[in-house]
Amino acid sequence: MSASTTFGRSIGAAIGKSAAYTAHAAIRTAQGTGRFGQDVLAGTTEGYTSKASELAERRLALAAQRQAPVAITVTKSKRRVTA
């Protein structure tokens, strides 16, 4: 395993753990604050879901643009004639 792979895995593990702490904290907060917390959690879930699907559509559109052939128009320049 190379050093960059080990470093990448360490960064990835830290991001994953942070996400788990955030998710569990949000759930505990929702449970502890009653209806308001549940509404915040529901709004967060809806907001994430809608934004994630929007970003996925954008990513797919950009990927399609990158794979589309690019037409290059070549024009013949006029020669200058000297007498």
Side-chain angles (χ1 to χ4, degrees):
M1 201 181 306
S2 69
S4 63
T5 302
T6 303
F7 183 68
R9 283 182 173 255
S10 297
I11 296 292
I15 292 170
K17 288 176 184 177
S18 296
Y21 280 123
T22 302
H24 285 276
I27 292 168
R28 291 295 307 242
T29 300
Q31 291 171 341
T33 57
R35 180 66 186 182
F36 174 75
Q38 291 171 358
D39 289 345
V40 169
L41 185 59
T44 302
T45 302
E46 290 170 12
Y48 172 83
T49 303
S50 67
K51 188 50 121 174
S53 65
E54 177 188 329
L55 293 173
E57 288 175 20
R58 284 187 197 173
R59 189 174 58 249
L60 289 173
L62 288 172
Q65 286 177 353
R66 281 193 298 268
Q67 292 178 355
V70 178
I72 299 174
T73 305
V74 179
T75 58
K76 188 174 182 181
S77 62
K78 295 181 179 180
R79 277 184 24 188
R80 221 171 26 173
V81 179
T82 58

